[in-house]
Amino acid sequence: MKGSSSRHGLAILFIALQFTPYITLTSAYPPFHSQRNMEYIKSSCNTTTYPGLCYRSLSIYASKINTSPRLLVHTALNVTLRASKSTSRLMVKISRIHGLEPRVAAAMVDCIEVIGDSVDELQQSIGELGHISSSNFSLTMSDVQTWVSAALTDEDTCMDGFAGNNLNGYAKTMVRKRIVKIAHLTSNSLALINNYASTQGYYLH
Ligand SMILES: *[C@@H]1O[C@H](CO)[C@@H](O)[C@H](O)[C@H]1NC(C)=O
Ligand SMILES: *[C@@H]1O[C@H](CO)[C@@H](O)[C@H](O)[C@H]1NC(C)=O
Ligand SMILES: *[C@@H]1O[C@H](CO)[C@@H](O)[C@H](O)[C@H]1NC(C)=O
């Protein structure tokens, strides 16, 4: 059994090695991110509170982001929005479990509501960012900063609701872990937004 799986591993490695030169030499095959694009993400993430998470969540979009601070912010917000929606769906499922302690069920319902608000705020930010122009750069960035800060406050409120609550085992761990993660993603997005805001509209691309 063990021998056969390591033979499998070798076969896969062998196939991968065979294809590597082909892929790297073919310009019509773009998923390999250039060093420059990766460095851009690394140095931008370096200014955030959770640089490891920032880099892990954004580096897969390196070729799309290129070196655009606007696309960097847009992508960070997209990633945060997606994680928030999926956490919200998970909480809705858990809240329907029968036999939840009433206090916990209530915390879950409150949390679903505030995370819903934060999803709206992230969506508004993404929407307005899509219409940014040189004439309203500061106005747009100020709105986006306000909304994303509000989203972060909502996520904190949700976490507070779970503090000291007696939601047992797997569900508690899952929900807490995910809320912490979206709060960290949001905090990182806000840092990237603040950096972009400080460019004063010099980079609209
Ligand atoms: C990240 O920051 C550290 C110190 O703050 C610095 O030494 C390092 O070179 C930076 N890395 C990048 C990629 O900017
Ligand atoms: C953000 O997400 C939307 C919807 O999924 C997508 O159309 C858009 O290309 C994404 N933008 C970036 C910069 O990733
Ligand atoms: C900024 O300007 C663009 C283009 O004129 C417009 O579509 C957008 O709604 C404006 N944004 C704000 C926040 O006023």
Side-chain angles (χ1 to χ4, degrees):
M1 205 54 200
K2 208 174 172 199
S4 113
S5 80
S6 76
R7 264 200 303 280
H8 257 110
L10 273 180
I12 289 165
L13 181 65
F14 182 66
I15 291 165
L17 284 174
Q18 275 202 313
F19 278 95
T20 304
Y22 170 73
I23 290 168
T24 47
L25 288 175
T26 308
S27 60
Y29 205 95
F32 281 83
H33 306 303
S34 81
Q35 188 73 18
R36 181 165 163 267
N37 295 347
M38 295 302 253
E39 282 303 323
Y40 176 67
I41 296 192
K42 197 171 273 175
S43 63
S44 306
C45 283
N46 219 1
T47 65
T48 66
T49 314
Y50 310 97
L53 175 66
C54 177
Y55 187 71
R56 279 198 305 282
S57 62
L58 296 176
S59 54
I60 49 171
Y61 304 105
S63 50
K64 191 171 178 187
I65 294 168
N66 201 338
T67 57
S68 155
R70 188 180 59 78
L71 290 178
L72 181 70
V73 165
H74 191 158
T75 306
L77 288 172
N78 266 5
V79 168
T80 309
L81 178 64
R82 225 177 303 133
S84 304
K85 282 181 169 173
S86 112
T87 298
S88 177
R89 280 194 298 271
L90 176 76
M91 290 190 302
V92 168
K93 275 188 200 143
I94 292 176
S95 72
R96 289 180 183 148
I97 295 173
H98 283 293
L100 275 187
E101 194 192 323
R103 210 161 45 109
V104 172
M108 199 68 82
V109 168
D110 289 347
C111 223
I112 290 166
E113 192 181 323
V114 289
I115 296 299
D117 291 342
S118 107
V119 163
D120 291 343
E121 285 142 3
L122 292 167
Q123 261 162 346
Q124 270 178 300
S125 303
I126 291 169
E128 205 164 287
L129 204 57
H131 297 114
I132 201 163
S133 72
S134 53
S135 63
N136 61 26
F137 182 85
S138 305
L139 178 66
T140 303
M141 291 314 289
S142 153
D143 284 348
V144 170
Q145 283 166 320
T146 305
W147 287 324
V148 176
S149 305
L152 197 52
T153 306
D154 289 331
E155 290 148 11
D156 285 342
T157 305
C158 171
M159 274 194 278
D160 290 347
F162 279 106
N165 262 319
N166 203 2
L167 177 59
N168 289 326
Y170 183 68
K172 176 177 181 169
T173 313
M174 277 314 289
V175 171
R176 263 206 75 87
K177 242 173 127 165
R178 287 187 173 224
I179 292 166
V180 167
K181 187 176 173 186
I182 59 175
H184 289 182
L185 287 171
T186 307
S187 157
N188 284 346
S189 300
L190 191 55
L192 299 174
I193 287 163
N194 292 339
N195 286 347
Y196 184 37
S198 71
T199 65
Q200 320 244 318
Y202 191 74
Y203 305 97
L204 279 170
H205 67 289

